[in-house]
Amino acid sequence: DAKHLVPNKMRDFFCTINLDQEEVFRTQVVEKSLSPYFGEEFYFEIPRTFQWLSFYIYDKSVLQKDLRIGKVAIKKEDLCNYTGKENWFMLQPVDSNSEVQGKVHLELKLNELITDNGSVCQQLVVHIKECHGLPLINGQNCDPYATVSLVGPSSTTVKNVLIGSFYLQVTRSSSYTKKSQFQVEEEDIEKLEVRVDLWNNGNLVQDVFLGEIKVPVKVLRNDSFQAWYLLQPRENGNKSSKTDDLGSLRLNICYTEDCVLPSEYYASLRNLLLKSSDVQPISASAAYILCEVCRDKYDAVLPLVRLLLHHQKLVPFVAAVAELDLRDTQEANTIFRGNSLATRCVDEMMKIVGKHYLKVTLKPVIDEICESPKPCEIDPIKLREGDNVEINMENLRYYVDKVFREIVRSSISCPTLMCDVFYSLRHLAAKRFPNDPHVQYSAVSSFVFLRFFAVAVVSPHTFHLRPHHPDAQTSRTLTLISKAIQTLGSWGSLTKSKLSSFKETFMCEFFKTFQEEKFTESVKKFLDDVSSTESKEPSGLSEPVHLKEGEMYKRAQGRTRIGKKNFKKRWFCLTSRELTYHKQQDKEPIFTIPIKNILAVEKLDESSFNKKNMFQVLHGEKPLYIQANNCVEASEWIEALCRVTRCNQKRLSFYHPSAFLNGSWLCCKATVENTVGCARCTADVPADTQIEIDGDRETERIYSLFTINMSKLQKLEEACGSIAVYQGPRKEPDDYSNFTIEDSVATFHTLKQIIDSVEKLNESHEKYQKKRSSSAKYGSE
């Protein structure tokens, strides 16, 4: 959220998230506010290098260009200082001299020349070879040029003086071929500095500054030097005396950056984690110890669940920690209601595995509620003037019935892995409370209704069911529906004793209309279905799973009347059966590619059409060329298409990274359009259509967590050793007083293996960093 924004009058604001100058996400517009609350979450993998993560506040305009009020820009190196906690940031003015993005490939040479009078002088040659990652200007690629200056120290002041300047005109962003030459005779060349300023040619409007780089000539220890340099803002960029009156923005940033080594380096730690479910007792396993030593268990649970999922080891581990959880549960009606390791693991599993299950089950009805909302407020205190509580109650009942009906009919779509976990929980609960006939159902409903469907209903944007946080009235409607779904899904909740326990009288009155046997029987049948071990894979006649949709640009498949192929905006939709595009979101498809016909999905070189963020879908006909709106979106579409086509039998091994234009392929210059590709297709496509998991990356994340908590591991190891030797009464230090050591010998053995594995990985990382440092050129990082 933001507060005290200017101008000091009620306006419509929205916020964007940018990687350097590239917008990757945009919030909804909050109308008529000076302190807008956005409440939106965005999670994304960063597909390219970047310098700044920026947040811009815009004043929405209907007739004119949206006005940028201010920004928060955080350097990549500083993100670790803000991760994992909320911070208020003062908005800074948007200064064109500080808005930079991209890098330049620069080559410098020193030549010796003999002048006409026979004297010897040194000549510095500056060669701008190419640029990469420059920003879009007004939605179009740059038309950049560079000015090259040679700067040296003044003999009288500390300011730099201009020695020489050269104007360099360039027409293509990827092809810089001209050289600028400076002849320097008496100046001490070791004290000189080359400055390259990059500009976009504005033609009829003012030229736009793109960034600058400065390179000291002393890097030329040899005759020639070249490296990539990130464009930097001007020294006086982003400095202003008016920084306190623009307002402030509250952000909660979670940023992780991992250096992932080759898979074989993780074998020891990975095997230790994967055999956790076989360790007796489970509290002596590596996975359990990981979650206990981390201050924030969420940091440990997410990579652990993803790793165990990737290697099909999650179900036995969840069963083992759930059994441990049930030992401490004294009453059946409180089963799995706490925030234990077992409940956290199941929560994360459902979010990962059940993502598409939620979409196919709830998205249509959630869309109806959000796009055509009916008044549903039934709290007499919150009713507005003119509201009719009976009509509102009917509207709410209509929505609750529809959501409930979609849920209890969805068991056939429930992922098999979720069913396997629910089956284990159900039987463990029945074993723990054999005299309670309902506990086997409440064990499952506490997850699938309370922690899955009800949470998704109240926060549809968090589960990607809606693009943005719903407005206040819709959010209230969803909250009431979520409360109803929780109650309907709680086995045994539809009794008079339960109704009398409602905190809100109006909810008690509302639920009197639900006391029908069919609701309890529907819940019972649904819970039986989703907690059975029978396969729940959808049959060939079932509805296709909706995977991804969005607006992008595609290159025309055929020729226009004037013979030119252009790019058109289309709505794309990907399901488990087909890829389609439409003129508009709700229109019939105008082109369809069955998933089984897709041969490859690859990036397309920017040089093909002088456009960024392009990829190609290769199928039976000509390639479909698509341009996404930003690098994150392009990466997500490529990954989704690769996942869903991974099992296609006729996948290509080679492809053309550029387009076929004017009678030849731009990449290999071949003149035959159907010739075999010149580059190998992307290998190692993900192994699961529903889940995108990199096992090595998750193990690296766990290694990082163990490294951070190494002192706790070592103290815990000492405690286990002391307990094993000294059997008398003991007082445990604070570092592990909350950790239950059931078997000191087994725990000590596991801790020793963890510490040994982490120390070996420390050595491997140190070797890699030394190698990287020694091979890096000045300016290349």
Side-chain angles (χ1 to χ4, degrees), residues 404 407-409 411 422 426 436-446 448-449 485-494 516-532 536:
F404 179 80
I407 291 173
V408 296
R409 289 178 178 177
S411 59
F422 295 153
R426 175 177 179 171
D436 190 326
H438 300 317
V439 72
Q440 58 178 322
Y441 295 107
S442 58
V444 179
S445 67
S446 64
V448 73
F449 277 100
I485 294 302
Q486 289 184 53
T487 306
L488 290 173
S490 298
W491 175 252
S493 64
L494 299 178
E516 303 173 21
E517 188 67 23
K518 66 175 185 178
F519 285 97
T520 55
E521 288 302 314
S522 295
V523 171
K524 182 176 181 296
K525 183 180 183 303
F526 172 74
L527 295 176
D528 281 332
D529 289 342
V530 298
S531 59
S532 69
K536 298 295 175 185

Side-chain angles (χ1 to χ4, degrees), residues 35 83 147 200 228 254 272 275 280 282 290 315 322 356 381 407 418 432 452 475 515 532 596 611 663 673 722:
S35 299
T83 188
T147 59
N200 179 64
W228 282 96
C254 293
L272 193 60
K275 69 178 184 181
Q280 293 293 333
I282 190 66
L290 168 71
V315 176
H356 301 299
I381 299 176
I407 291 173
M418 287 177 63
R432 175 68 178 85
F452 187 57
S475 182
Q515 294 187 56
S532 69
K596 63 181 181 181
K611 292 181 181 293
E673 188 169 3
S722 301

Side-chain angles (χ1 to χ4, degrees), residues 161-206:
V161 296
L162 192 63
I163 301 296
S165 184
F166 183 86
Y167 182 85
L168 179 64
Q169 179 71 45
V170 183
T171 58
R172 293 287 300 276
S173 64
S174 60
S175 177
Y176 285 71
T177 56
K178 294 187 178 181
K179 300 181 181 181
S180 54
Q181 299 181 352
F182 303 92
Q183 291 190 3
V184 183
E185 297 183 3
E186 298 179 358
E187 186 72 38
D188 184 0
I189 202 140
E190 288 289 313
K191 299 178 181 179
L192 299 180
E193 185 178 67
V194 175
R195 189 183 74 206
V196 178
D197 293 278
L198 216 62
W199 299 81
N200 179 64
N201 186 357
N203 292 322
L204 300 178
V205 297
Q206 185 177 1

Side-chain angles (χ1 to χ4, degrees), residues 454-629:
V455 178
V457 168
V458 79
S459 302
H461 59 292
T462 305
F463 291 83
H464 306 290
L465 300 177
R466 295 290 299 171
H468 298 295
H469 190 283
D471 60 56
Q473 181 178 335
T474 307
S475 182
R476 172 63 177 168
T477 298
L478 293 172
T479 300
L480 293 172
I481 297 170
S482 178
K483 286 184 177 183
I485 294 302
Q486 289 184 53
T487 306
L488 290 173
S490 298
W491 175 252
S493 64
L494 299 178
T495 62
K496 291 184 179 180
S497 61
K498 279 284 183 182
L499 286 174
S500 62
S501 67
F502 270 109
K503 293 180 180 179
E504 304 100 337
T505 306
F506 62 88
M507 289 300 292
C508 181
E509 292 297 319
F510 177 64
F511 266 96
K512 286 181 179 178
T513 64
F514 284 88
Q515 294 187 56
E516 303 173 21
E517 188 67 23
K518 66 175 185 178
F519 285 97
T520 55
E521 288 302 314
S522 295
V523 171
K524 182 176 181 296
K525 183 180 183 303
F526 172 74
L527 295 176
D528 281 332
D529 289 342
V530 298
S531 59
S532 69
T533 55
E534 297 176 5
S535 175
K536 298 295 175 185
E537 294 298 328
S539 65
L541 299 176
S542 67
E543 288 294 315
V545 178
H546 177 95
L547 299 176
K548 191 169 179 61
E549 63 181 354
E551 199 170 61
M552 296 187 290
Y553 294 84
K554 66 95 188 175
R555 187 172 185 250
Q557 297 284 79
R559 288 191 173 274
T560 62
R561 292 180 180 178
I562 60 174
K564 182 180 179 182
K565 294 183 179 181
N566 56 3
F567 283 81
K568 296 181 179 179
K569 185 184 292 186
R570 293 288 182 259
W571 184 266
F572 285 80
C573 182
L574 175 65
T575 71
S576 54
R577 289 186 188 172
E578 59 193 18
L579 172 67
T580 59
Y581 62 74
H582 318 240
K583 279 194 174 181
Q584 295 177 1
Q585 181 174 358
D586 299 323
K587 300 294 184 181
E588 290 296 314
I590 57 179
F591 191 77
T592 300
I593 306 176
I595 292 300
K596 63 181 181 181
N597 292 351
I598 295 179
L599 306 176
V601 182
E602 299 288 346
K603 291 182 179 179
L604 187 71
D605 283 351
E606 180 184 331
S607 59
S608 297
F609 301 105
N610 198 26
K611 292 181 181 293
K612 295 176 179 292
N613 306 316
M614 289 205 65
F615 63 96
Q616 52 185 317
V617 179
L618 307 179
H619 56 108
E621 302 175 22
K622 293 184 177 181
L624 176 61
Y625 297 128
I626 302 172
Q627 182 187 26
N629 294 298

